[in-house]
């Protein structure tokens, strides 16, 4: 078969996929580009559509950084993320290992109950959480957000890690046991190295959900300086709701850390998906 004919057939076969990927990319990128162009317009103006300003006002980002108190919020969000993600990843990994590999008694029942909680609407826990954190004296502190988020991340995190451990061949654990390795040693030297992509992708998803936490931050923390950056967006929009330029610049600054972290860890995320971590 001539090479040209084969190339044409290959392009025809791949054309629908390329069109869909291009459309999806444009659907995701165009709103972001529109925000960037609006953030670079003169303050007080009303930019519309996607058009690059002739005189970009880069200092808008500096003004938005100052008026939104980004430095303080960045520290607060980082503190909350560091309190939630490592602890939640550790607990969920241990729980999933116990359920899928060690097959602890009643582990399957615990797993089913945990997964069933994924069906509960997110909003129904807000009032009980408010009352409990107030009774514990944590209302208004960052602990009021850290502790509930660790627990609320558990159902999906255990589901995610259990799916990974269930896909690891049982012969690996049996071979480790024949070599004298106990459960802890098998976890540290066999299962955890294999689980790096799944753990990295889980940490990425938890980081995104924690960093972008909005509703709980508003309800449980009344001090805007102790909220997440996304939670503080409400105060920002209240003060500067009429200035679309500063709003777009502030929103981009709030989004920037999540984009950078995703770009840094996206390789592990894709690898975990390809390894079948979402099967279960």
């Amino acid at each position: 078969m001539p090479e040209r004919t084969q190339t044409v057939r290959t392009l025809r076969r791949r054309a629908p996929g390329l069109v869909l990927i291009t459309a999806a990319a444009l659907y995701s990128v165009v709103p972001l580009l529109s925000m960037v162009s609006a953030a670079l317009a003169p303050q007080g103006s009303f930019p519309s559509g996607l058009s690059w300003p002739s005189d970009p006002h880069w200092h808008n980002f500096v003004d938005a950084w100052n008026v939104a108190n980004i430095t303080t919020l960045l520290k607060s969000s980082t503190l909350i993320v560091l309190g939630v993600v490592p602890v939640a990843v550790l607990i969920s990994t241990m729980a999933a290992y116990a359920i899928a590999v060690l097959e602890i008694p009643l582990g399957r029942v615990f797993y089913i109950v945990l997964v069933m909680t994924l069906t509960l609407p997110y909003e129904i826990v807000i009032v009980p959480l408010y009352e409990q954190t107030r009774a514990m004296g944590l209302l208004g502190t960052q602990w009021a957000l850290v502790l509930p988020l660790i627990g609320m991340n558990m159902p999906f995190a255990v589901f995610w890690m259990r799916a990974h451990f269930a896909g690891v061949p049982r012969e690996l654990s049996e071979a480790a046991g024949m070599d004298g390795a106990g459960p802890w040693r098998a976890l540290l030297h066999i299962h955890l190295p294999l689980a790096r992509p799944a753990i990295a992708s889980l940490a990425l998803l938890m980081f995104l959900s924690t960093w972008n936490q909005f509703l709980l931050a508003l309800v449980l923390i009344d001090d805007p300086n102790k909220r997440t950056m996304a939670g503080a967006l409400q105060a920002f929009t209240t003060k500067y709701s009429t200035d679309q330029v500063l709003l777009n610049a502030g929103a981009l600054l709030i989004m920037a850390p999540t984009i950078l972290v995703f770009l840094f860890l996206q390789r592990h995320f894709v690898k975990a998906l390809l390894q079948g971590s979402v099967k279960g």
Side-chain angles (χ1 to χ4, degrees), residues 40-81:
L40 295 176
Q43 293 185 27
S45 62
F46 296 91
S48 61
L50 180 59
S51 60
W52 189 258
S54 58
D55 182 20
H57 290 64
W58 295 100
H59 62 83
N60 291 340
F61 289 100
V62 178
D63 295 340
W65 183 284
N66 293 328
V67 298
N69 201 14
I70 295 294
T71 302
T72 301
L73 298 175
L74 190 62
K75 293 178 182 177
S76 177
S77 288
T78 302
L79 186 63
I80 293 172
V81 166

Side-chain angles (χ1 to χ4, degrees), residues 222-243:
D222 53 358
D223 185 355
N225 292 330
K226 294 181 180 179
R227 295 172 182 166
T228 60
M229 290 181 67
L233 185 62
Q234 188 269 340
F236 185 83
T237 54
T238 301
K239 291 181 180 178
Y240 304 98
S241 59
T242 58
D243 197 327

Side-chain angles (χ1 to χ4, degrees), residues 59-231:
H59 62 83
N60 291 340
F61 289 100
V62 178
D63 295 340
W65 183 284
N66 293 328
V67 298
N69 201 14
I70 295 294
T71 302
T72 301
L73 298 175
L74 190 62
K75 293 178 182 177
S76 177
S77 288
T78 302
L79 186 63
I80 293 172
V81 166
L82 291 178
V84 172
V85 176
V87 176
V89 168
L90 176 63
I91 296 175
S92 60
T93 301
M94 300 286 288
Y97 178 73
I99 295 171
V101 180
L102 301 182
E103 298 181 344
I104 60 174
L106 300 178
R108 186 170 180 79
V109 174
F110 170 75
Y111 173 71
I112 293 174
V113 172
L114 202 63
V115 171
M116 287 177 64
T117 60
L118 288 171
T119 62
L120 297 177
Y122 179 77
E123 291 75 10
I124 68 171
V125 302
I126 291 179
V127 174
L129 275 179
Y130 181 85
E131 296 297 335
Q132 290 176 0
T133 52
R134 187 176 64 174
M136 296 171 66
L138 300 176
L139 195 64
T141 69
Q142 287 153 330
W143 285 108
L145 198 56
V146 171
L147 295 179
L149 286 179
I150 292 175
M152 294 171 71
N153 278 320
M154 281 301 106
F156 176 76
V158 173
F159 170 78
W160 181 274
M161 292 308 302
R162 187 261 177 194
H164 165 77
F165 286 123
V168 177
R170 185 178 296 274
E171 288 77 10
L172 286 176
S173 299
E174 294 175 352
M178 294 178 64
D179 290 338
W184 284 104
R185 192 172 179 183
L187 173 64
L188 293 176
H189 297 283
I190 296 177
H191 290 282
L192 284 185
L194 294 175
R196 283 177 184 169
I199 292 175
S201 55
L202 177 62
L204 171 62
L205 294 174
M206 283 190 183
F207 169 81
L208 295 177
S209 65
T210 304
W211 192 273
N212 294 324
Q213 185 56 237
F214 180 75
L215 185 57
L216 277 183
L218 289 181
V219 174
L220 301 177
I221 301 177
D222 53 358
D223 185 355
N225 292 330
K226 294 181 180 179
R227 295 172 182 166
T228 60
M229 290 181 67

Side-chain angles (χ1 to χ4, degrees), residues 163-164 167-168 193-199 201 268-279:
H164 165 77
V168 177
L194 294 175
R196 283 177 184 169
I199 292 175
S201 55
H268 298 286
F269 186 74
V270 174
K271 190 175 181 179
L273 293 179
L274 293 177
Q275 285 182 348
S277 292
V278 293
K279 297 177 181 178

